[in-house]
Amino acid sequence: MVSDERPPPEGPATFREVFAQGEYRAIFLANTLTWIGDYVAKAAVTLLVYKETESVALSAAAFAVSYLPWLIGGPLLATIAERHRYRQIMVVCDLIRMALMLLIAIPGIPVPLILALLFATTLANPPSQAARSALMPLILPGDRLVVGLSINASVGQAAQVVGYLLGAAVATVNTTAALLMNAAAFALSAVLVRFGTRNRAPAIASEQRRHLLRETAEGFQLVFRTPVLRAIAILVFGAVLCSIVPEGLAAAWANEGTDSGMNAGMAQALIMASSPVGFILGGLLMGRAVAPSRRIALLRPLAVIAPLMLVPSLLDPPPAVVALLAAACGFAVAGILPVANGLFVQALPHGYRARAFGVMATGVQVIQGAAVLATGLLAEHYPIPIVVGLWSAAGVVLMTFVARRWPDAQTVEATVEAARASSVGSATPSEKPDQGNVDRPRHAVT
């Protein structure tokens, strides 16, 4: 899955080395466009539902609806990406989502139908994201992969900030405009991926295919039966369990916090944007200024610090302080996710990347959606600051246990070496990680 090239001992890979890879630049731009479009639509719909119903639970449900496809068929849909060319999967999914967004934008469509079509649109997310995740280690070798993942995560959070702010603004004028923006983003993404990436062979050849359900089950077995992969999965799931809550409850939190003197719309935007801003700062700092070995050593303390940052919500602080707490949590999470993701990718043998990504992404999406729904339901009966503070305190206890059970360095290294040997031995030339100078010309396979 990853190359034999190791990061230089004196420090991490540079941003210049990562962006020197043309395929990475194409995927980076495509992702940024679709992220912004998606968050514009999500922010607009969440605010619209709360204004119409004045229900915290329904507002949280509107926010969480995009997570449902992962629960229903995420791993199965992600497994499809192993059977086809990664570029083909990403382009087709972008075009499907573009077409559905154009349908949603037709004037006069009832709101329930709009929500149903939005749900259908998100069904294309698992195979598209799985293909992209599986493609990354083929493009970026060594520590460039971790730095590239960190850049993606940080820019994704920046796109979230921009999308939320645009969505909140556009929703006050015309929700259809937000949906058209998303459709245009998917169209541009399809063009960038089609002409900016190589047409590699499928990870699973046609003669190697078995039943789709069996292949999907193998992904679950690999993740949860391999001690290192299982530890990474639990760490990631625990990190997102608390960090998503301020965003999911932001609309209700801002509108119910009448004593702050801040405009409710501004307070919502501030709370929703704060965690992504913290993540951006943390991701860029960890990805560029911290040595690879030090990043791994910081995983355990940051796992406990992330939920701990939200515990002071118990004191019912004003929106500005809530934003600072959420930003601090986002900063800590930025030190966890890209590093854990990089380790996870390196510990996977070739042919399992998309399937394993489907397992992880489904877990993340389901846990985030469940966390928002659970805290939203609790907030119907208890004050939001109490709910968030106690939820985060429980997260501290959970992450302390997870940190204590983290595997030792020798176990992690042995798993990575075994995956590397398996990948180099089984991958075809077009599927093996790129070696050597990233500046050399590349030729698309047609």
Side-chain angles (χ1 to χ4, degrees):
M1 155 166 287
V2 297
S3 74
D4 291 329
E5 178 180 346
R6 300 298 186 88
E10 66 274 8
T14 65
F15 293 153
R16 181 177 180 179
E17 290 173 335
V18 173
F19 280 106
Q21 169 53 256
E23 287 186 285
Y24 174 77
R25 292 196 301 270
I27 293 177
F28 171 82
L29 290 174
N31 286 343
T32 302
L33 287 169
T34 55
W35 281 332
I36 292 175
D38 276 343
Y39 287 121
V40 164
K42 181 178 288 189
V45 171
T46 301
L47 181 58
L48 178 63
V49 169
Y50 182 79
K51 283 187 173 181
E52 290 188 354
T53 64
E54 296 186 354
S55 169
V56 179
L58 289 177
S59 176
F63 183 89
V65 68
S66 62
Y67 300 120
L68 291 179
W70 290 97
L71 175 62
I72 295 173
L76 194 68
L77 292 170
T79 302
I80 295 175
E82 301 278 21
R83 295 180 162 208
H84 302 277
R85 298 175 184 271
Y86 296 144
R87 188 179 76 179
Q88 179 186 24
I89 288 288
M90 291 186 286
V91 170
V92 169
C93 287
D94 279 343
L95 294 177
I96 290 174
R97 289 180 289 188
M98 177 200 71
L100 289 173
M101 281 294 164
L102 290 175
L103 288 176
I104 295 170
I106 296 175
I109 290 184
V111 171
L113 181 57
I114 289 177
L115 293 177
L117 289 172
L118 281 172
F119 172 79
T121 301
T122 60
L123 287 174
N125 290 346
S128 177
Q129 293 179 21
R132 182 191 68 203
S133 178
L135 184 59
M136 285 291 290
L138 300 180
I139 294 173
L140 299 175
D143 192 55
R144 295 170 197 165
L145 173 62
V146 178
V147 175
L149 292 173
S150 181
I151 294 171
N152 284 355
S154 295
V155 174
Q157 296 296 313
Q160 186 172 353
V161 174
V162 173
Y164 280 154
L165 293 176
L166 282 176
V170 172
T172 62
V173 180
N174 190 341
T175 305
T176 300
L179 300 173
L180 289 175
M181 290 172 62
N182 206 5
F186 285 129
L188 290 174
S189 174
V191 172
L192 286 167
V193 172
R194 172 59 181 83
F195 296 102
T197 62
R198 290 169 55 188
N199 196 25
R200 293 173 172 82
I204 300 178
S206 57
E207 63 273 12
Q208 297 174 322
R209 295 177 186 173
R210 295 181 297 279
H211 195 281
L212 188 62
L213 289 175
R214 181 177 177 182
E215 292 175 4
T216 303
E218 290 173 352
F220 279 94
Q221 292 170 0
L222 178 67
V223 171
F224 292 108
R225 289 184 180 179
T226 306
V228 171
L229 295 177
R230 183 173 62 245
I232 295 172
I234 295 173
L235 180 74
V236 170
F237 295 160
V240 301
L241 183 65
C242 295
S243 61
I244 191 63
V245 172
E247 293 177 38
L249 301 184
W253 205 342
N255 281 272
E256 293 184 2
T258 56
D259 297 333
S260 66
M262 182 182 294
N263 174 271
M266 179 63 68
Q268 178 194 354
L270 186 64
I271 295 172
M272 294 186 84
S274 57
S275 180
V277 168
F279 194 103
I280 293 166
L281 297 176
L284 294 177
L285 177 64
M286 293 292 294
R288 186 64 190 92
V290 180
S293 60
R294 184 61 177 166
R295 295 191 211 119
I296 296 175
L298 288 172
L299 277 176
R300 291 192 294 174
L302 288 174
V304 178
I305 290 172
L308 183 63
M309 292 297 97
L310 295 175
V311 173
S313 298
L314 285 166
L315 302 177
D316 193 12
V321 176
V322 172
L324 288 175
L325 296 175
C329 176
F331 189 97
V333 171
I336 300 172
L337 297 190
V339 180
N341 194 2
L343 273 179
F344 189 81
V345 168
Q346 294 176 59
L348 285 171
H350 179 74
Y352 288 88
R353 296 171 191 155
R355 281 178 280 179
F357 171 83
V359 173
M360 287 295 294
T362 298
V364 168
Q365 299 292 330
V366 170
I367 286 173
Q368 286 182 319
V372 172
L373 286 173
T375 53
L377 290 171
L378 289 171
E380 289 281 345
H381 305 285
Y382 305 98
I384 292 178
I386 298 297
V387 171
V388 176
L390 291 179
W391 185 272
S392 302
V396 172
V397 175
L398 171 65
M399 297 306 282
T400 299
F401 175 78
V402 171
R404 290 176 61 87
R405 298 295 299 270
W406 185 254
D408 57 60
Q410 291 78 12
T411 302
V412 174
E413 181 62 23
T415 303
V416 171
E417 289 296 338
R420 178 180 292 114
S422 174
S423 299
V424 171
S426 63
T428 66
S430 67
E431 294 166 335
K432 291 182 180 179
D434 297 317
Q435 310 278 342
N437 184 1
V438 297
D439 294 320
R440 71 182 186 274
R442 300 188 176 278
H443 304 281
V445 179
T446 58

